[in-house]
Amino acid sequence: QVQLVESGGGLVQAGGSLRLSCAASGRFFSINTMGWYRQAPGKQRELVATISSEGSTNYADSVKGRFTISRDNAKNTVSLQMNSLKPEDTAVYYCNVVLTSVLFRKYEYWGQGTQVTVSS
């Protein structure tokens, strides 16, 4: 079993900052890609940011310059530093991990989600 535990969500005013963290635990050979997705009420889930095992990053246009994704391979964690938050960032944020199992098969896992609310 592999589980993802997210933390860091909360309520902030526009212009404020939050830092989300996600830790992967269980048995696996390695983690390939880690990322964050979000889903606002009445909208579809969308990609926020991803980071590869080599450290390459990808961001949604709406968060470029404001959010920074990072990972700690030794701790199997991924973080999302969110600055200059806007009300439009309000959503449930989900951690996503693509990993290789001990039998060298590829799997995708999702966290339970953490609420981020930005007030105007």
Side-chain angles (χ1 to χ4, degrees):
Q1 290 185 340
V2 175
Q3 293 201 350
L4 307 179
V5 179
E6 301 140 320
S7 62
L11 172 65
V12 296
Q13 292 192 104
S17 299
L18 282 175
R19 184 176 179 85
L20 306 182
S21 295
C22 174
S25 62
R27 292 178 65 239
F28 47 84
F29 179 75
S30 62
I31 296 176
N32 303 100
T33 302
M34 309 184 81
W36 291 93
Y37 293 72
R38 67 187 182 187
Q39 186 168 25
K43 300 182 68 176
Q44 293 188 331
R45 182 193 65 188
E46 65 176 352
L47 181 148
V48 178
T50 61
I51 183 167
S52 72
S53 58
E54 295 80 23
S56 298
T57 58
N58 181 47
Y59 296 92
D61 289 341
S62 60
V63 307
K64 285 181 179 177
R66 300 188 298 121
F67 292 9
T68 302
I69 189 170
S70 61
R71 63 189 285 171
D72 186 332
N73 293 330
K75 297 181 179 179
N76 298 133
T77 60
V78 60
S79 297
L80 184 69
Q81 179 65 46
M82 304 184 293
N83 298 327
S84 302
L85 283 161
K86 305 175 181 179
E88 306 91 87
D89 296 318
T90 296
V92 176
Y93 284 69
Y94 297 92
C95 178
N96 172 266
V97 172
V98 177
L99 57 81
T100 299
S101 73
V102 293
L103 296 179
F104 297 94
R105 294 198 290 257
K106 207 172 188 179
Y107 292 94
E108 184 176 38
Y109 291 89
W110 293 91
Q112 292 296 305
T114 184
Q115 178 70 48
V116 171
T117 302
V118 184
S119 63
S120 60

